[in-house]
Structure formats: structure tokens, C-alpha cells
């Protein structure tokens, strides 16, 4: 280890940036070289002075200014800019509320335009679709004799009264 | 760390309260970095405002592989560089008088000492290049590890060490300039 090399490494040696065997090599040179010791002490004093100066001149936010910064950020990023103590509603609830409003508006519109159901002219095809027979009108029952093979058909209407077969 | 990740997840959904809780512990660090880089407190506050907006906007892109603090400081430094580039006044700012800090010390003597000290810090830091200043502030004032500084500065560990080394040499030179006149006076007295 030469003094020239040592002088290059001293700024890193004071800041703990050099570790392990490299550090040990530098320290062993330092112990045996008074000139490098002076250089080391000078560099270390300067670093400590500067560190103390930085610590003695802190830069800090005032609470009100910082709150303003957060509020501004909220406004700039599309937020409501509300004070932090008011919780922001969940986005999912927002969508649910919007859907509910749309549904209510849709129903209101339907009731206003078609109050009491359909009143306008209706085509026959659509009537045919709507007025399908709700239940079977006529029921037939067939009895077959095992001995003679004679068949008797009974026709009943939906009230189970005899229906005359035409 | 886990609490921080939970706050990040809440803040990403647009929860400003969580965002405030997440960023507030680093607010003075951010302001300090911006101030040491640009040399003007009002400009530093403006830079921090921009940085906070960017952090909120790009929080989704934060990769959890390294600390939130490093990411936040990186965004702050990028905002600082953009500000300085935009105004093209890095040099001019440093030549300007240092503005009032948050709390003035009581008593005229204390006030004088503080302002003198600030002037010394300002003049010494102004002798460094922006990268040297950034690396030095992150290391000495913010106490960050070399690995974190590499991520913030976007350079290798060797490069960070070179910048730190140069910064320390220049700072020693700056301090010698400050102390030399008084030493010379002492020598003259003897």
C-alpha cells in the first residue's frame, strides 16, 4: 500500500464505505504512517463538521403547510380534496349507487310513458304471443276392455263436466 | 414494512387518508433533499408539492422489491431535477440569499450564528456537482446505505463511492477556505 493510494481511499475509509480485508489493509498502513494519519484526521474532522452543520440547520414542514400539500395533491389527482378526517367512499359503492339511480330513472320513465301497462295499438302477432291458452280446455280419457277390446272415450271440459264430442 | 404495504394498497384505491399516513413520516426528508439540492426553501416546497402529486399518481407502479423510502426520494429528486431544468437556474439559485427557514432561533446572536451556518452549508454544497450533492446528502444527512443510493441515483456502487469520495474532498477544501482566514488572523496575532 502506497501513500498515494491511501490518500485516494481515505474519504471512503472515514465513511465506512470500505469493509473487510481492504479496510484492515488501509488501517494497518494508517497506523504506520504519520502523514496519512494527519490526512485522515483532517478529512474526518471536515466530515464531522459538515455533518454537524447539516444537523444544526434542519428543514421542516409546518403542519398547516403540509396539510395544504396533501389537499392540493388530492385535488390535482382528481380526488375530492376533502379534509383527511372525512373517509372517502369506496369505488364499488359509487358504482352501485350510480346503477341504482339509473334503474330508478328507467322505471320512472317506463311508468310515465306507459302508465298502467300497454294502451297503444298492439299487433296481432304480439297478442298471439301473450294470449296463449293458460290451461288445457278439454281432457279425454280412454277406457279399453281387456275381455272384449271395446274402447270408450270420455271427453271432459276444464271443469270436469261432460263435453259432447262433435 | 407490512403496515406500509397495507397503506400503499389502500392509497392506490384513492384513499387520501392512507396516503397522508404513508407519506408524512418522510415529509421532512423530502423537503430537506429538495432544499439542499436547490438552495431555496420556497422552491423546495414547490418541488415537494409536485413530488407528492407524482407519488400519488404513480403509486401503482411502485415495485415492492426495494424500500418505499428509496422510491419516494427518487421521485422527489426527479421532481427537483425537472424543476431545475425547467427554470434553468441551478447556479443562480445557489448564488441567491438563503431564505428564512421554518423556525427562527430566538435572540439576535443565535439568529446571526444560524444564518452564518446556513450560509456556510449553502456555499460548500454549491461547490459540488448535482450528482455529488445528491449522493452526499442521501448518505450523510439521510443516512442511506450505498445500495439504496445506487437505486435512487441510477448508478453503480463504484460510481456512488467515487461521487462520495469527491464530495468529501471538496467539502474539506471548502471548510479550509472558511477557516483559513481566521487561522491566518491567529497566525498574524502570534
Amino acid at each position: 500500500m502506497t501513500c498515494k493510494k491511501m490518500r485516494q481511499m481515505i474519504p471512503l475509509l472515514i465513511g465506512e464505505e470500505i469493509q473487510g480485508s481492504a479496510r484492515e489493509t488501509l488501517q494497518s498502513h494508517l497506523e504506520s504512517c504519520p502523514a496519512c494519519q494527519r490526512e485522515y484526521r483532517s478529512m474526518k474532522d471536515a466530515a464531522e463538521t459538515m455533518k454537524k452543520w447539516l444537523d444544526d440547520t434542519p428543514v421542516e414542514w409546518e403542519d398547516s403547510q403540509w396539510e395544504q400539500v396533501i389537499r392540493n395533491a388530492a385535488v390535482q389527482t382528481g380526488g375530492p380534496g376533502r379534509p383527511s378526517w372525512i373517509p372517502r367512499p369506496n369505488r364499488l359503492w359509487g358504482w352501485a349507487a350510480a346503477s341504482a339511480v339509473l334503474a330508478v330513472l328507467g322505471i320512472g320513465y317506463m311508468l310515465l310513458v306507459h302508465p298502467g301497462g300497454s294502451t297503444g295499438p298492439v299487433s296481432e302477432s304480439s297478442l298471439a304471443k301473450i294470449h296463449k291458452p293458460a290451461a288445457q280446455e278439454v281432457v279425454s280419457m280412454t277406457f279399453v276392455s281387456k275381455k272384449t277390446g271395446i274402447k270408450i272415450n270420455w271427453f271432459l271440459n276444464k271443469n270436469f263436466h261432460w263435453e259432447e264430442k262433435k | 414494512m407490512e403496515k406500509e404495504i397495507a397503506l400503499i394498497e389502500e392509497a392506490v384505491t384513492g384513499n387520501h387518508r392512507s396516503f397522508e399516513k404513508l407519506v408524512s413520516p418522510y415529509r421532512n426528508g423530502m423537503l430537506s433533499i429538495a432544499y439542499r439540492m436547490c438552495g431555496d426553501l420556497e422552491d423546495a416546497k414547490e418541488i415537494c408539492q409536485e413530488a407528492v402529486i407524482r407519488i400519488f399518481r404513480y403509486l401503482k407502479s411502485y415495485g415492492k422489491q426495494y424500500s418505499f423510502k428509496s422510491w419516494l426520494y427518487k421521485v422527489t429528486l426527479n421532481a427537483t431535477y425537472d424543476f431545475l431544468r425547467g427554470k434553468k437556474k441551478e447556479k443562480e439559485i445557489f448564488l441567491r440569499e438563503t431564505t428564512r427557514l421554518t423556525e427562527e432561533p430566538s435572540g439576535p446572536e443565535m439568529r446571526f450564528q444560524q444564518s452564518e451556518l446556513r450560509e456556510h452549508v449553502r456555499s460548500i454544497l454549491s461547490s459540488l456537482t448535482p450528482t455529488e450533492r445528491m449522493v452526499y446528502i442521501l448518505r450523510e444527512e439521510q443516512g442511506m446505505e450505498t445500495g439504496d443510493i445506487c437505486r435512487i441515483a441510477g448508478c453503480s456502487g463504484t460510481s456512488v463511492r467515487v461521487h462520495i469520495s469527491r464530495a468529501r474532498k471538496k467539502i474539506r477544501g471548502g471548510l479550509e477556505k472558511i477557516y483559513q482566514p481566521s487561522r491566518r488572523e491567529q497566525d498574524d496575532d502570534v
Side-chain angles (χ1 to χ4, degrees):
Chain A
M1 172 64 64
T2 61
C3 286
K4 192 183 172 189
K5 179 82 178 160
M6 182 71 201
R7 301 287 165 93
Q8 287 174 349
M9 302 308 278
I10 282 174
L12 297 175
L13 191 65
I14 61 161
E16 314 278 319
E17 276 90 12
I18 298 173
Q19 295 294 337
S21 60
R23 189 175 184 84
E24 284 170 19
T25 310
L26 292 169
Q27 274 176 335
S28 67
H29 174 87
L30 203 60
E31 282 165 15
S32 62
C33 179
C36 286
Q37 275 178 23
R38 275 195 298 277
E39 178 72 11
Y40 177 84
R41 222 171 291 130
S42 161
M43 192 66 81
K44 198 166 175 62
D45 286 349
E48 283 170 359
T49 303
M50 191 62 188
K51 176 84 174 78
K52 190 176 178 306
W53 284 5
L54 288 171
D55 292 344
D56 288 349
T57 54
V59 189
E60 290 171 357
W61 282 101
E62 285 169 21
D63 286 344
S64 59
Q65 287 180 329
W66 177 250
E67 282 163 16
Q68 186 61 45
V69 166
I70 295 290
R71 260 199 300 274
N72 290 346
V75 172
Q76 289 273 321
T77 51
R82 67 183 67 201
S84 59
W85 48 269
I86 300 176
R88 188 183 159 88
N90 192 309
R91 194 175 287 180
L92 196 65
W93 283 109
W95 280 109
S99 305
V101 168
L102 280 173
V104 167
L105 286 174
I107 291 166
Y109 174 79
M110 290 293 286
L111 288 173
L112 279 172
V113 176
H114 306 292
S118 170
T119 52
V122 182
S123 67
E124 283 187 11
S125 62
S126 62
L127 269 179
K129 282 177 192 168
I130 295 165
H131 295 291
K132 280 179 183 172
Q136 200 167 344
E137 295 285 335
V138 179
V139 178
S140 72
M141 286 187 284
T142 305
F143 300 93
V144 182
S145 169
K146 284 183 180 177
K147 288 182 181 174
T148 59
I150 295 169
K151 288 183 183 177
I152 300 167
N153 288 323
W154 285 6
F155 292 92
L156 305 164
N157 67 13
K158 62 184 175 186
N159 297 321
F160 283 88
H161 293 148
W162 290 107
E163 185 84 357
E164 192 181 342
K165 183 72 181 164
K166 291 181 181 174
Chain B
M1 186 67 184
E2 281 175 16
K3 195 184 169 190
E4 210 165 63
I5 288 169
L7 284 174
I8 290 167
E9 282 166 2
E10 285 169 18
V12 162
T13 63
N15 188 330
H16 289 89
R17 200 178 181 183
S18 299
F19 179 72
E20 192 179 353
K21 279 184 192 169
L22 179 70
V23 180
S24 285
Y26 307 110
R27 64 184 191 175
N28 290 334
M30 288 168 70
L31 183 64
S32 189
I33 288 170
Y35 172 68
R36 304 289 186 206
M37 289 301 289
C38 77
D40 183 277
L41 191 62
E42 290 310 311
D43 284 345
K45 285 175 182 172
E46 205 178 306
I47 290 165
C48 285
Q49 175 70 79
E50 173 61 22
V52 168
I53 291 167
R54 288 187 193 182
I55 290 161
F56 193 82
R57 205 166 271 164
Y58 302 116
L59 197 58
K60 281 177 201 165
S61 66
Y62 161 63
K64 296 180 183 74
Q65 67 270 21
Y66 60 92
S67 76
F68 178 69
K69 185 183 173 183
S70 301
W71 184 76
L72 183 130
Y73 284 173
K74 190 180 172 73
V75 175
T76 307
L77 278 162
N78 286 344
T80 308
Y81 281 130
D82 289 347
F83 178 87
L84 294 174
R85 253 196 305 271
K87 293 206 169 183
K88 292 182 182 174
K89 62 174 192 178
E90 191 181 352
K91 286 282 175 191
E92 297 94 289
I93 287 168
F94 259 89
L95 294 170
R96 208 192 291 166
E97 281 296 312
T98 314
T99 51
R100 191 178 67 84
L101 289 177
T102 47
E103 279 185 23
E104 283 294 331
S106 57
E109 199 181 332
M110 274 283 283
R111 215 174 296 151
F112 174 74
Q113 283 174 356
Q114 275 268 325
S115 68
E116 198 180 27
L117 199 59
R118 274 181 218 133
E119 182 56 33
H120 288 336
V121 173
R122 188 195 62 80
S123 68
I124 289 171
L125 287 179
S126 69
S127 69
L128 309 180
T129 66
T131 313
E132 287 167 1
R133 206 181 308 148
M134 170 182 68
V135 167
Y136 183 80
I137 291 301
L138 291 174
R139 177 77 180 150
E140 297 292 347
E141 195 182 31
Q142 301 300 320
M144 299 192 86
E145 295 295 322
T146 308
D148 289 328
I149 299 171
C150 290
R151 287 183 204 107
I152 294 170
C155 56
S156 67
T158 309
S159 179
V160 166
R161 282 186 204 98
V162 167
H163 287 304
I164 288 177
S165 181
R166 282 182 190 159
R168 283 181 183 145
K169 280 180 186 170
K170 284 184 183 176
I171 283 164
R172 203 225 351 218
L175 283 167
E176 278 173 356
K177 274 183 197 166
I178 291 168
Y179 284 122
Q180 216 101 61
S182 58
R183 276 184 194 162
R184 224 176 281 143
E185 280 164 21
Q186 282 174 1
D187 293 343
D188 292 346
D189 290 345
V190 173

